[in-house]
Amino acid sequence: MPRGRKEQAAFIRLPENQMKIREWLGEISYTLQQGSLDAEVTEVVYDSRKAGPGAVFICMKGTRRDSHDFIPQVTEAGVRVLVTEHPVEVPAQVTVIVVKNGREALARLSAARFGNPSRKLLMIGVTGTKGKTTTTHMVKTILEAAGKKTGMIGTNGVMIGTDHYPTVNTTPESYDLHRYFAQMAEAGCECCVMEVSSQAMKMHRVTGIVFDCAVFTNISPDHIGPDEHADFAEYLFYKKQLFFQSRKAFINLDDEHFQEIVQEIPCPWTGFGLMENQEKCPRTEDTLEKNHTGSDYLAEHIEYVSEPDFVGTGFDIRGEREIPVRVSIPGKFNVYNALAAAAVTLWCGVPQERLQHAMEHLKINGRMEIVHTSRRCCVIVDYAHNAVSMESLLSTLRDYHPKRLVVVFGCGGNRSKDRRYSMGEIGGRMADLSIITADNSRFEKVEDIIADIRGSIEKTGGKFVEIPDRREAIAYSITHAEPGDMIAVIGKGHEDYQEIEGVRYPFLDRAVVEEVIAGLEKQDAGQANE
């Protein structure tokens, strides 16, 4: 069981209170090149445009730029403390602290600057290729149903109470993370649940954070390419690193890379998975079992439920606890997400009845979100943006036996082309009709991306149409629907923009669906009155 709420250290308000740089260096290995550790600082800065008197400027060598090059600019702006990755030549009045890794130093200095706020929260981390966002939303919903105010950080941004802050990355930069943790603690949050990406581990964004518990949902090839991971081995390595800074882990027993994940991780772990798969579970080696604690959480008697006021799944949790649940999000793969969320929250002490009620009333924007259902059609918006998640989604929707399964999708520009080829193949093979359209084309031409997708669909013989304008594509799918159709608009989910040539334009799939439906209903009403 988890410890009680962490000791509430005094919240440090800066820049009102000046600190000596030595007070922020307690957990950092460094060499003092020149100057004094008694230099006073008020802020941590890694963007040269924000540099000024009282700031400690962190220098880092990145793939595109080296912030050491901005040292003359920041010292001219008044910076008198530098953290660098190698010795530098600067005026004598500037303190220079040399560290091995600037990003790691940024994480630890940011934590110190805000008074180590993560230590005031029960920290829950979720990692995996898919399922992170859904699982974190589930955990937050369940914890808050049990009266535990919970902050959340992930793909959908940051949630602190009713306040929402959009973010660029799944896991924000370390400075921003600790700023959000501080806001959560000040707002009275007891817990924080966050998505932890492999890129965040690689870039030291979560260095120094100790997670009370962490979840591994699954892993499959993704985020491999320029500026991401060199290969799958590196991707898996960084996913696994989360468990080296966690006190407890919950691991998907059914993932094909389960054995590689649990081998040699130092924290105790408990598994979750489907009862039907456990006879094939590869937990036979002593090295795998040594940190396995307690009974696992297993799902049994899974059923697909489609009722006038409820669409989702029902199943029984067996093993550590015996609990029947209904989850208001369709899909067998969401059984895994629900199991993970149940395991974590029960471990946190959530009563069974609170868990059951929260599961039955879940709603997650852009994640298997049923936007419209009627005799005309059912429209679902989902974030599925790779072959694995797309295949899982379409397979799940087939279980509900639609007349036709229609999928509207594109692919992001300036990303690995393998994603386009594989998604095109899945669409051609599994959908009755694929409508190929734009996603976030970025700096590529939509027509070129569509051509790559088209080539894969043509090889399957699947039926498709091309409509480059995403709004028109969504409208076409609905206006040409046949009674009983199920339409999946995928790839963007919760995103409220389209990125074209470096500019983000307002665009939300759910809003477009609602707009089209409203127009059709108005048209139907007009015809009925004639």
Side-chain angles (χ1 to χ4, degrees), residues 253-254 258 277-284:
L253 298 170
D254 296 343
F258 153 77
N277 294 336
Q278 297 321 298
E279 59 199 37
K280 299 176 288 185
C281 183
R283 297 197 334 261
T284 56

Side-chain angles (χ1 to χ4, degrees), residues 221-488:
D222 196 17
H223 299 291
I224 297 168
D227 299 332
E228 295 188 280
H229 294 290
D231 51 33
F232 180 73
E234 181 185 286
Y235 180 49
L236 186 147
F237 172 83
Y238 282 110
K239 285 290 185 193
K240 183 173 176 176
Q241 295 314 296
L242 174 61
F243 306 110
F244 286 82
Q245 56 192 82
S246 301
R247 294 190 172 101
K248 171 74 175 181
F250 293 93
I251 309 290
N252 183 348
L253 298 170
D254 296 343
D255 188 82
E256 63 176 308
H257 297 281
F258 153 77
Q259 183 168 324
E260 297 164 83
I261 290 292
V262 300
Q263 199 157 28
E264 298 179 354
I265 64 173
C267 65
W269 63 271
T270 298
F272 62 90
L274 306 189
M275 180 72 80
E276 63 194 61
N277 294 336
Q278 297 321 298
E279 59 199 37
K280 299 176 288 185
C281 183
R283 297 197 334 261
T284 56
E285 300 179 19
D286 291 341
T287 55
L288 299 183
E289 291 289 354
K290 67 178 183 179
N291 287 326
H292 180 243
T293 59
S295 300
D296 297 319
Y297 293 79
L298 306 174
E300 191 177 34
H301 305 139
I302 300 171
E303 60 177 347
Y304 301 100
V305 184
S306 180
E307 300 171 350
D309 59 347
F310 180 89
V311 175
T313 57
F315 61 91
D316 295 325
I317 298 175
R318 303 294 190 200
E320 180 76 18
R321 301 286 290 271
E322 308 284 319
I323 304 173
V325 296
R326 280 161 53 107
V327 183
S328 60
I329 304 177
K332 192 172 185 178
F333 57 88
N334 279 312
V335 171
Y336 285 99
N337 299 330
L339 270 176
V344 167
T345 53
L346 289 169
W347 180 80
C348 289
V350 171
Q352 172 180 324
E353 61 276 10
R354 296 286 186 179
L355 169 75
Q356 291 170 309
H357 182 271
M359 287 284 196
E360 192 164 356
H361 296 87
L362 288 167
K363 182 175 177 60
I364 303 173
N365 292 339
R367 295 300 193 279
M368 290 293 285
E369 181 183 4
I370 300 175
V371 179
H372 172 77
T373 183
S374 68
R375 287 179 295 176
R376 184 191 303 275
C377 61
C378 176
V379 186
I380 293 173
V381 169
D382 191 80
Y383 188 56
H385 62 290
N386 58 41
V388 174
S389 53
M390 181 179 184
E391 185 170 22
S392 294
L393 173 71
L394 298 185
S395 176
T396 291
L397 298 185
R398 281 289 180 201
D399 291 332
Y400 291 85
H401 307 295
K403 179 176 182 181
R404 291 189 311 165
L405 181 54
V406 179
V407 60
V408 181
F409 74 103
C411 279
N414 303 109
R415 296 292 186 269
S416 172
K417 289 192 175 185
D418 289 341
R419 184 178 295 183
R420 305 170 193 178
Y421 304 143
S422 56
M423 288 183 72
E425 189 271 331
I426 294 296
R429 179 165 55 84
M430 299 188 68
D432 296 302
L433 174 64
S434 294
I435 302 175
I436 318 173
T437 188
D439 196 294
N440 294 323
S441 57
R442 298 185 176 90
F443 292 96
E444 285 194 69
K445 293 182 179 179
V446 174
E447 292 76 10
D448 293 340
I449 298 173
I450 288 177
D452 288 335
I453 299 172
R454 179 202 312 132
S456 294
I457 293 183
E458 287 177 333
K459 292 177 182 178
T460 69
K463 185 177 180 181
F464 69 93
V465 295
E466 300 175 25
I467 305 177
D469 185 281
R470 191 173 181 91
R471 184 180 300 274
E472 292 179 10
I474 293 172
Y476 178 92
S477 71
I478 298 170
T479 56
H480 288 74
E482 300 176 11
D485 279 1
M486 187 168 279
I487 301 166

Side-chain angles (χ1 to χ4, degrees), residues 32-308:
L32 179 62
Q33 177 193 319
Q34 68 177 53
S36 171
L37 294 181
D38 290 327
E40 293 185 333
V41 289
T42 59
E43 186 57 280
V44 175
V45 172
Y46 60 96
D47 183 338
S48 61
R49 294 167 295 183
K50 298 179 180 179
V56 50
F57 182 70
I58 316 297
C59 299
M60 301 174 290
K61 186 175 183 179
T63 56
R64 290 189 173 88
R65 63 177 58 185
D66 186 344
S67 56
H68 292 79
D69 296 338
F70 296 95
I71 287 176
Q73 178 181 327
V74 300
T75 54
E76 184 177 344
V79 168
R80 292 296 176 262
V81 180
L82 298 172
V83 173
T84 67
E85 294 181 338
H86 55 73
V88 296
E89 292 186 11
V90 293
Q93 69 268 29
V94 177
T95 295
V96 179
I97 298 163
V98 181
V99 298
K100 183 177 180 180
N101 188 294
R103 288 193 173 276
E104 181 178 351
L106 173 63
R108 295 188 184 278
L109 283 168
S110 297
R113 177 256 187 265
F114 286 105
N116 293 297
S118 68
R119 299 176 187 176
K120 307 167 191 176
L121 304 163
L122 190 144
M123 295 294 300
I124 302 166
V126 181
T127 196
T129 300
K130 55 189 178 71
K132 296 190 298 298
T133 300
T134 299
T135 301
T136 54
H137 275 265
M138 287 180 171
V139 170
K140 181 179 188 294
T141 300
I142 296 166
L143 288 174
E144 294 199 327
K148 298 178 183 291
K149 188 172 182 178
T150 302
M152 182 175 64
I153 301 175
T155 304
N156 286 4
V158 177
M159 288 295 300
I160 304 174
T162 57
D163 295 329
H164 175 259
Y165 305 91
T167 57
V168 176
N169 298 314
T170 296
T171 310
E173 186 53 84
S174 56
Y175 178 91
D176 296 312
L177 277 179
H178 291 285
R179 177 165 56 88
Y180 289 129
F181 295 153
Q183 288 181 246
M184 290 177 190
E186 193 171 54
C189 291
E190 294 182 53
C191 313
C192 172
V193 57
M194 62 179 288
E195 299 178 46
V196 183
S197 67
S198 55
Q199 198 71 3
M201 299 300 303
K202 182 178 180 179
M203 304 300 283
H204 293 281
R205 292 176 194 153
V206 295
T207 292
I209 299 172
V210 177
F211 291 89
D212 291 279
C213 67
V215 174
F216 166 71
T217 60
N218 51 66
I219 191 167
S220 56
D222 196 17
H223 299 291
I224 297 168
D227 299 332
E228 295 188 280
H229 294 290
D231 51 33
F232 180 73
E234 181 185 286
Y235 180 49
L236 186 147
F237 172 83
Y238 282 110
K239 285 290 185 193
K240 183 173 176 176
Q241 295 314 296
L242 174 61
F243 306 110
F244 286 82
Q245 56 192 82
S246 301
R247 294 190 172 101
K248 171 74 175 181
F250 293 93
I251 309 290
N252 183 348
L253 298 170
D254 296 343
D255 188 82
E256 63 176 308
H257 297 281
F258 153 77
Q259 183 168 324
E260 297 164 83
I261 290 292
V262 300
Q263 199 157 28
E264 298 179 354
I265 64 173
C267 65
W269 63 271
T270 298
F272 62 90
L274 306 189
M275 180 72 80
E276 63 194 61
N277 294 336
Q278 297 321 298
E279 59 199 37
K280 299 176 288 185
C281 183
R283 297 197 334 261
T284 56
E285 300 179 19
D286 291 341
T287 55
L288 299 183
E289 291 289 354
K290 67 178 183 179
N291 287 326
H292 180 243
T293 59
S295 300
D296 297 319
Y297 293 79
L298 306 174
E300 191 177 34
H301 305 139
I302 300 171
E303 60 177 347
Y304 301 100
V305 184
S306 180
E307 300 171 350

